[in-house]
Amino acid sequence: MTHYLFYPGCSMESSAKAYYDSLMAVCKPLGLDLQEINDWNCCGATEYVSISLTPAYALIGRNLALAEQQANGSRTVVAPCSACYLNLAKADYYMRERPVLGEKVNTALAAGGLHYDPGSLVIRHLLDVIINDIGLDKVKEKVTRPLTGLRLAPYLGCMAPRPDYDHRWSNPEYPTELDRLLKVLGAEVIDFPLKTHCCGGHMTQIAPSTAFELIRRLVHAADQYHADLMVTLCPMCQMNVDAFQGEMNNHFHTDYHMPILFFTQLIGLAFGIDPKELGFGKELVSAGPALARIGVEAPAGEKGGEPPRKPKKTDGLPMPRMMEEERLP
Amino acid sequence: MTTQTVSPPDTIRFLEEVSAATAGVSRLEMCIQCGTCGGSCPSSSDMDHTPRMLFAMIRAGMREEALRSNTPWICVSCYHCTVRCPQGVHIADVMYTLKGMAIRAKLYQDSTAPDFSKTFVDMVEEYGRSYEFGLATRHYLKHFPLRLPSMTPMGLGMLSKKRMDISPRRIEGIEQLTAILSRAKELEAA
């Protein structure tokens, strides 16, 4: 077992519960021993730093200080959420790059009896650890139910591969880590050109039309490539593409139905783990039909989550049909 | 015709102010106005100014115009510009800095985006964790009441699939966190 400190982040307890459940289910077969940082707090997402700099970094600093205290032999903090990963990694990096920030953060932490030495921990994303520490050979060994016949669009979004100050990814704009992992699971993997394009982040909350256009581009591209599913490693990306797909469809008068799952759910599936333990059915755009095609009966989850499917009017006034035409292969 | 002149120290002062308020080393003064940032931006079409224009305005000392721009608020933090910038300017982080400065100077007119950040921060300061249900209800009722009907299926889906907690979770060390943040705020104001 490889031992790591683990920072789950707020989403893993709520909106990305499927990510958390499936990660816990695949830890043992992967040989991952994750020790959760006790009493961690929110990383501040992209919001706190927009309000005030020192408090934003002190908020992140508390997590780093707690992690350092609880290190117990391991110096590596693993974060499954891209925004959490980036915030922790950036705080550590900027405290080194600009010592005056480091001093301020530590002065603030001292008010809570804490201290963090920048550079003493290594912050890494979960996928990076699975690919580079555990290795694809080990993953391949554990595959008992290859995902043969499933066409996947690997989607990483922004904050895992960029800005990547510590050079952990193969490329900040076109990383192949997720592609390689999904191929080992036996799936057919699309060379998805939008794999690190933006999902809109918090724009679904503050400037919906900006966000809907970004979501439309992703879903439209995956649809054009005849993907069965998009696969992601970020709770925010999953939330935007999945939960806001219905509203995006209403906005553009489109009718996309593109499920998006977490990569850990697919690892679990390929390892032969019961889909009930992997959080299937929590997605609002159901992945059930796609999975049924490869003979997997995934739980549909409680009813009520399907996005509204507006019937297309064919006898009304002539309307612009560009979106429809664009969808033709 | 009178020519308005801006004295060089004022110009430099604003550039320095923005740089000093940015987390890492901003390298803002290194911008060569190549436009790679705007060309790489997925949301630039909704921006008042492309990042390149905004940085030129900062260097020209156009404080008020720069802080009134919607550009930092439309930035989606995708870091495409940041990794492509040939000068290594920390563009996304400069955008965060400008948001904070615009809020403090009360210059940004649209309240939706600053309010969202403030509500999020309020929840984090209160509980130590983010509280999506409280954040979403408060934010949508105030800023997007007309969006609620089209959002209902999504909200109900999130609740019925247990992807959103109705009650918040509070960390044990909330007093410690409060002490740390209070101290950090004093340092920020100093």
Side-chain angles (χ1 to χ4, degrees):
Chain A
M1 293 291 264
T2 324
H3 174 70
Y4 297 96
L5 293 157
F6 179 54
Y7 178 85
C10 305
S11 306
M12 295 295 270
E13 296 188 329
S14 51
S15 60
K17 193 76 175 39
Y19 197 3
Y20 185 81
D21 289 349
S22 53
L23 171 58
M24 291 302 125
V26 300
C27 268
K28 204 173 161 201
L30 285 175
L32 261 179
D33 175 23
L34 302 178
Q35 183 203 331
E36 185 169 327
I37 299 165
N38 290 329
D39 207 39
W40 54 271
N41 55 257
C42 172
C43 75
T46 51
E47 307 312 319
Y48 212 140
V49 76
S50 308
I51 300 282
S52 191
L53 183 76
T54 311
Y57 280 88
L59 182 80
I60 306 167
R62 180 175 176 273
N63 293 317
L64 294 171
L66 291 177
E68 198 182 3
Q69 268 183 359
Q70 297 164 28
N72 193 21
S74 174
R75 316 299 299 168
T76 303
V77 178
V78 179
C81 165
S82 302
C84 298
Y85 158 71
L86 177 58
N87 273 338
L88 294 170
K90 255 189 6 175
D92 182 57
Y93 181 81
Y94 286 154
M95 284 171 78
R96 277 179 278 151
E97 187 186 58
R98 198 145 162 257
V100 63
L101 177 74
E103 283 161 26
K104 278 188 181 175
V105 168
N106 272 318
T107 309
L109 288 178
L114 294 173
H115 180 84
Y116 175 66
D117 287 315
S120 61
L121 294 171
V122 178
I123 317 296
R124 295 173 65 188
H125 191 278
L126 175 67
L127 178 64
D128 163 24
V129 165
I130 291 178
I131 294 274
N132 296 311
D133 288 9
I134 292 168
L136 292 177
D137 290 342
K138 172 94 188 262
V139 175
K140 198 172 186 175
E141 268 173 32
K142 301 282 174 184
V143 174
T144 57
R145 182 169 54 194
L147 306 178
T148 317
L150 205 57
R151 238 174 112 79
L152 304 177
Y155 176 57
L156 296 95
C158 310
M159 293 189 172
R162 285 189 298 274
D164 197 20
Y165 293 129
D166 290 315
H167 307 290
R168 305 205 176 278
W169 298 87
S170 54
N171 187 302
E173 299 200 41
Y174 219 71
T176 51
E177 280 84 347
L178 188 54
D179 304 52
R180 279 151 50 208
L181 175 78
L182 297 174
K183 273 180 196 157
V184 163
L185 303 180
E188 188 185 346
V189 181
I190 292 156
D191 189 11
F192 191 48
L194 270 55
K195 65 171 72 164
T196 69
H197 280 224
C198 180
C199 72
H202 71 179
M203 299 310 255
T204 42
Q205 320 294 324
I206 60 179
S209 60
T210 301
F212 292 155
E213 170 56 19
L214 297 178
I215 296 169
R216 189 197 68 79
R217 289 179 197 172
L218 297 172
V219 171
H220 172 67
D223 186 68
Q224 276 202 319
Y225 276 84
H226 304 293
D228 292 319
L229 297 169
M230 288 169 70
V231 183
T232 190
L233 45 70
C234 170
M236 181 94 241
C237 294
Q238 202 282 339
M239 168 98 170
N240 274 356
V241 173
D242 179 41
F244 288 92
Q245 198 174 126
E247 220 189 336
M248 181 278 289
N249 271 330
N250 288 346
H251 182 80
F252 289 111
H253 304 288
T254 50
D255 191 23
Y256 293 106
H257 186 87
M258 181 54 63
I260 177 165
L261 297 173
F262 293 104
F263 75 101
T264 42
Q265 292 181 281
L266 294 168
I267 296 179
L269 201 58
F271 284 3
I273 298 170
D274 186 344
K276 285 191 197 94
E277 290 176 41
L278 299 169
F280 286 108
K282 284 200 175 285
E283 70 280 1
L284 298 196
V285 179
S286 175
L291 296 174
R293 238 173 290 142
I294 61 160
V296 174
E297 211 176 299
E302 298 82 355
K303 269 197 84 72
E306 282 292 293
R309 310 289 295 271
K310 277 194 178 170
K312 284 260 176 346
K313 278 186 187 169
T314 49
D315 52 350
L317 289 167
M319 293 294 282
R321 306 287 294 173
M322 199 175 71
M323 296 302 174
E324 276 302 293
E325 281 156 19
E326 265 183 18
R327 290 183 71 182
L328 292 174
Chain B
M1 199 178 102
T2 54
T3 312
Q4 199 191 346
T5 52
V6 181
S7 63
D10 281 348
T11 331
I12 294 167
R13 214 171 290 146
F14 185 46
L15 175 68
E16 282 176 350
E17 190 187 336
V18 174
S19 260
T22 303
V25 176
S26 81
R27 296 176 61 86
L28 191 52
E29 73 286 356
M30 300 297 283
C31 171
I32 53 169
Q33 292 287 293
C34 68
T36 302
C37 43
S40 307
C41 180
S43 51
S44 60
S45 55
D46 294 333
M47 288 175 172
D48 291 339
H49 310 95
T50 61
R52 174 178 67 107
M53 288 167 76
L54 194 63
F55 296 161
M57 287 156 65
I58 292 169
R59 293 203 293 193
M62 297 164 69
R63 185 191 167 87
E64 199 172 316
E65 293 89 333
L67 295 183
R68 277 191 200 285
S69 174
N70 78 348
T71 298
W73 303 97
I74 296 294
C75 167
V76 288
S77 305
C78 75
Y79 295 87
H80 262 298
C81 54
T82 308
V83 297
R84 288 180 182 179
C85 176
Q87 294 294 85
V89 178
H90 291 174
I91 301 171
D93 287 289
V94 170
M95 294 298 172
Y96 291 134
T97 306
L98 292 170
K99 289 196 225 185
M101 290 174 76
I103 291 175
R104 282 188 290 280
K106 296 190 170 56
L107 282 173
Y108 186 59
Q109 302 299 312
D110 178 3
S111 67
T112 313
D115 251 20
F116 181 74
S117 296
K118 280 182 200 158
T119 310
F120 187 96
V121 166
D122 284 352
M123 305 271 171
V124 171
E125 288 181 354
E126 172 85 24
Y127 305 113
R129 296 277 172 90
S130 88
Y131 172 38
E132 286 161 349
F133 184 73
L135 175 65
T137 40
R138 209 161 112 185
H139 183 70
Y140 288 123
L141 283 173
K142 184 164 175 195
H143 293 287
F144 295 106
L146 295 177
R147 231 180 117 187
L148 284 172
S150 80
M151 290 203 60
T152 307
M154 178 265 205
L156 291 177
M158 294 297 280
L159 285 173
S160 72
K161 284 169 187 277
K162 300 190 173 52
R163 286 179 60 180
M164 199 154 59
D165 288 325
I166 296 200
S167 48
R169 295 165 195 239
R170 184 177 266 121
I171 60 167
E172 285 169 28
I174 190 68
E175 284 174 22
Q176 179 191 48
L177 179 64
T178 307
I180 291 171
L181 294 178
S182 309
R183 192 67 198 276
K185 284 175 195 174
E186 287 166 19
L187 291 168
E188 186 75 2

